[in-house]
Amino acid sequence: DYAGNHNRVTDDFASKSGTSMAAPYVAGASVLLREAMQFVGMTNITQATIYNHMRATADTIWDAATATNYKRLNLGNAIDALIPDDEYGSSIVDAFNLGTLNGSQQRTGMFNTLSDKDYFRFTASASGTVSFTATLSHGQSCSWLASGLSGWASGPGNQTYNLNVVAGQTYTLGLEASGLSYFTLDIVADSNTPAFTDW
């Protein structure tokens, strides 16, 4: 409203240009890039490291008035170039196949975007319970995407999901985090079959 008629309606816009306008955007972008670099384990991050990465991932813009190419910051490209691709399926259809579960196994990965969800498919080798325990980095909590499954979540931030399974049946379970984080997923299959002693 300050740019126009001061009628207390935020419908007035103005266009500004120059380094005083660009500086806060570049400064904010550099902070986000430093955080992304630290998140993926980079060390010895300097101003030059950030600047060079900004230029390497920037858009090239042709200015007809000066007949010169210029670089324009593209923060999405810059961050995407740092964060690894998702290693597990992000929907029920493309769920990562764990195979036939028997005993225990462990998977590691990361939630590389705020909307990332990881889905896992498996076949139960025996009737019983399969427990999925997620440990997330950076103080994040998780949510289980277990629509229509017979199970229950427990622990702080629902870190463990216990699923009742029937031998030979295939199940799909999803996981999402409250923010960018690495995760370790411990999976344990316990059979309900009683121990048999041959006398």
Side-chain angles (χ1 to χ4, degrees):
D1 188 46
Y2 74 93
N5 54 14
H6 301 284
N7 65 353
R8 295 196 174 113
V9 178
T10 57
D11 59 353
D12 305 324
F13 300 91
S15 176
K16 304 286 184 182
S17 64
T19 54
S20 60
M21 295 293 102
Y25 287 96
V26 174
S30 68
V31 171
L32 294 174
L33 284 175
R34 175 179 282 279
E35 288 180 344
M37 289 174 173
Q38 290 171 331
F39 179 73
V40 296
M42 291 178 66
T43 57
N44 300 322
I45 303 166
T46 65
Q47 291 176 346
T49 307
I50 296 170
Y51 173 77
N52 291 335
H53 186 73
M54 282 182 178
R55 289 197 48 88
T57 57
D59 296 327
T60 301
I61 304 300
W62 170 255
D63 180 22
T66 61
T68 307
N69 283 321
Y70 292 95
K71 295 289 188 179
R72 180 175 63 194
L73 174 67
N74 186 325
L75 184 57
N77 282 351
I79 291 176
D80 287 346
L82 292 169
I83 304 296
D85 291 335
D86 191 15
E87 57 278 271
Y88 299 109
S90 296
S91 70
I92 292 174
V93 173
D94 61 359
F96 182 81
N97 191 355
L98 296 168
T100 301
L101 283 188
N102 184 353
S104 63
Q105 62 175 279
Q106 187 178 77
R107 295 283 169 176
T108 59
M110 79 179 317
F111 293 104
N112 58 358
T113 66
L114 294 178
S115 61
D116 187 14
K117 297 172 178 61
D118 288 336
Y119 285 86
F120 301 90
R121 179 182 300 112
F122 69 93
T123 301
S125 64
S127 297
T129 304
V130 176
S131 297
F132 290 81
T133 301
T135 305
L136 281 67
S137 67
H138 296 81
Q140 303 300 329
S141 61
C142 69
S143 299
W144 298 98
L145 309 166
S147 177
L149 298 181
S150 174
W152 65 98
S154 62
N158 293 329
Q159 302 298 300
T160 299
Y161 191 85
N162 299 295
L163 183 61
N164 296 322
V165 297
V166 175
Q169 296 292 318
T170 300
Y171 300 87
T172 302
L173 181 67
L175 178 66
E176 66 181 342
S178 55
L180 299 183
S181 64
Y182 293 96
F183 71 84
T184 300
L185 188 62
D186 291 298
I187 307 162
V188 178
D190 289 325
S191 170
N192 281 342
T193 305
F196 173 75
T197 304
D198 186 0
W199 292 94

